[in-house]
Amino acid sequence: MQFARRRFLHLAAGAAALPAMPRIAHAQNYPSRAVRFIVGFGAGGTFDIAARLIGQWLAEQLGQPFIIENRPGAGANVATAAVVRAPADGYTLLLAGAVNAINATLYEHLDFDFIRDLAPVAGVIRFPNVMQVNPSFPAQTVPQFITYAKANPGKINMGSGGVGTTQHLSGELLKMMADAGASLFKACT
């Protein structure tokens, strides 16, 4: 009796898996044509360079071109909207990052819901944020920098990739943690 039940369960599992088989076989043919890899920032930046390196590697591995398409604007929202509007066939990819999660909280009226309208495929890269000053600057540590900035309000500029980027928000977080408000430095985007 035990043998018959086990055999039945094996046959039932096999029968249940049968409809999935054509999809698996079809998935092995991907990609069968060029893939668009959309980047929300201009050419030459870190996102663009990462996309080109990843695209080149994928093209070599999969035998199809990965075309990098830069669509800068609105903190990567232009690119994200383009991917959301594209057919959901896997031939239009977005190089997403923390900026996309940030945008979901900064923009009240987006044409898309980043979490609902896109599906993650892979985590491919991490970008660290660092604080740099000119070697001739009088402060060499973060506490020294904060002390100097508080003593010289409005005289220090901070550069970032734009409003809402991780660099910009890291600077704002530093201001909050230093309890310095807007006087710590001026943001230049």
Side-chain angles (χ1 to χ4, degrees):
M1 179 74 166
Q2 186 71 0
F3 176 75
R5 183 171 180 231
R6 187 176 302 148
R7 182 176 165 103
F8 172 76
L9 291 173
H10 283 276
L11 289 172
L18 207 53
M21 295 306 273
R23 287 188 212 123
I24 292 170
H26 179 70
Q28 291 174 350
N29 294 328
Y30 176 84
S32 60
R33 58 185 168 88
V35 177
R36 287 177 33 205
F37 202 3
I38 299 185
V39 178
F41 298 96
T46 51
F47 268 72
D48 177 63
I49 293 167
R52 291 180 189 283
L53 291 170
I54 294 164
Q56 180 181 353
W57 185 85
L58 287 169
E60 291 168 1
Q61 301 302 309
L62 300 173
Q64 291 292 337
F66 278 69
I67 301 163
I68 309 307
E69 185 177 326
N70 297 89
R71 293 252 187 126
N77 286 331
V78 170
T80 306
V83 173
V84 167
R85 287 190 303 269
D89 58 5
Y91 286 91
T92 305
L93 304 176
L94 173 70
L95 183 58
V99 65
N100 298 99
I102 292 166
N103 288 345
T105 62
L106 286 182
Y107 293 87
E108 290 184 30
H109 303 290
L110 292 172
D111 295 338
F112 55 85
D113 180 326
F114 182 71
I115 301 297
R116 183 195 68 222
D117 295 337
L118 295 166
V121 176
V124 293
I125 195 162
R126 293 179 188 198
F127 294 112
N129 288 321
V130 297
M131 182 176 167
Q132 291 181 301
V133 296
N134 188 301
S136 65
F137 189 75
Q140 299 299 309
T141 66
V142 173
Q144 289 174 356
F145 175 84
I146 292 169
T147 301
Y148 180 87
K150 284 181 175 181
N152 297 281
K155 294 185 179 178
I156 298 174
N157 295 325
M158 184 204 86
S160 74
V163 174
T165 61
T166 55
Q167 301 91 352
H168 169 236
L169 293 181
S170 294
E172 295 301 321
L173 180 60
L174 176 63
K175 284 188 203 179
M176 287 172 50
M177 293 173 72
D179 196 26
S183 65
L184 191 62
F185 49 76
K186 296 183 289 187
C188 300
T189 55

